[in-house]
Amino acid sequence: ARCRELGVPVIHVHFLVHPGAPGFTLNAPLFEGLLDESAMVRGTWGARAVDGLEPQPGDHVVEKMRMSAWEGTSLETVLKAEGRDILIETGAWTNMSIEHTARTGADKGYVMVIPEDGCSTMNADWHRASIDYAMQNVALVTKVDEVIGALA
């Protein structure tokens, strides 16, 4: 909400597949599980945005079918159109989606800001491993309140 108030673009990245996941490569156990469970299928409950976090008018929506929000998506096109080189990244799967996106963003020359209390994953150990080790090398790890304060 604070980003919207200040005119900072809000970009939602949704992991979506079509029913049966045509064109979805099953080259990793995580991806096999998605197919086995019929998860993240466009138009189903499992692919809906979390209540209260739905895209609002003016927000951007980027769709992906890989762990990183960069791979095969329009993310970089949106960022260039908005003239942005700093990303505040929050969301699910700290040790997968958040980490992969942060690593690639850093490689591409973007400043990656990760408010650790705005991210989650399957368990505290995976979250801490990602935040305390991997992210320290590719991003500014901080807290949501610090980010909001810095935006003011």
Side-chain angles (χ1 to χ4, degrees), residues 14-18 34 37-44 46-48:
H14 295 170
F15 194 123
L16 298 172
V17 297
H18 292 286
L34 183 139
E37 298 300 322
S38 297
M40 310 309 285
V41 175
R42 181 183 307 281
T44 67
R48 268 196 349 231

Side-chain angles (χ1 to χ4, degrees), residues 15-36 39-40 64-67:
F15 194 123
L16 298 172
V17 297
H18 292 286
F24 185 67
T25 308
L26 300 175
N27 62 313
L30 176 67
F31 298 142
E32 292 169 5
L34 183 139
L35 186 61
D36 291 345
M40 310 309 285
K64 69 175 187 168
M65 291 195 326
R66 306 316 291 163
M67 287 179 259

Side-chain angles (χ1 to χ4, degrees), residues 2 10-11 18 28-29 42 51 63-64 66 70 82 88 90 93 103 106 114 116 124 134 138 143 145 152:
R2 185 67 179 138
V10 175
I11 305 169
H18 292 286
R42 181 183 307 281
D51 290 343
E63 295 183 3
K64 69 175 187 168
R66 306 316 291 163
W70 302 96
E82 292 287 357
I88 304 164
T90 63
W93 285 78
R103 287 173 181 270
I114 310 295
E116 67 173 287
V138 297
K143 301 281 188 178
D145 288 343

